[in-house]
């Protein structure tokens, strides 16, 4: 795949995964159901950053091998 396509795929998968995990965590813990906006954003970013790192490393592996 082209590097541009891998970048868009990594971004999509990272956002999708971060939203999915954040919503799963918030739904499982009733006390988190009324999060403030800033805490909600911080939780999203805390999940997003590790996923972005992992998916970008995987994406770089696929662009180098092709």
């Amino acid at each position: 795949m082209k590097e541009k396509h891998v970048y868009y795929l990594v971004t999509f998968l990272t956002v999708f995964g971060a939203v999915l995990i954040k919503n799963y965590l918030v739904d499982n813990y009733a006390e988190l159901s009324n999060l403030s906006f800033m805490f909600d954003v911080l939780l999203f970013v805390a999940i997003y950053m590790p996923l972005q790192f992992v998916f970008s490393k995987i994406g770089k592996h696929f662009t180098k091998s092709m």
Side-chain angles (χ1 to χ4, degrees):
M1 281 201 274
K2 293 182 182 178
E3 189 172 340
K4 180 179 168 182
H5 295 135
V6 170
Y7 173 76
Y8 289 132
L9 182 64
V10 164
T11 302
F12 173 77
L13 288 175
T14 304
V15 170
F16 181 77
V19 169
L20 189 71
I21 292 169
K22 184 189 74 68
N23 288 338
Y24 177 77
L25 290 173
V26 169
D27 287 343
N28 279 341
Y29 297 102
E31 65 270 6
L32 292 179
S33 61
N34 294 323
L35 292 175
S36 68
F37 176 73
M38 288 303 293
F39 187 69
D40 196 34
V41 169
L42 289 174
L43 181 62
F44 176 78
V45 170
I47 296 168
Y48 178 85
M49 294 304 288
L51 285 178
Q52 177 69 26
F53 178 74
V54 169
F55 287 145
S56 65
K57 290 291 184 186
I58 294 170
K60 285 180 185 177
H61 173 72
F62 281 113
T63 56
K64 286 182 181 178
S65 66
M66 294 188 170

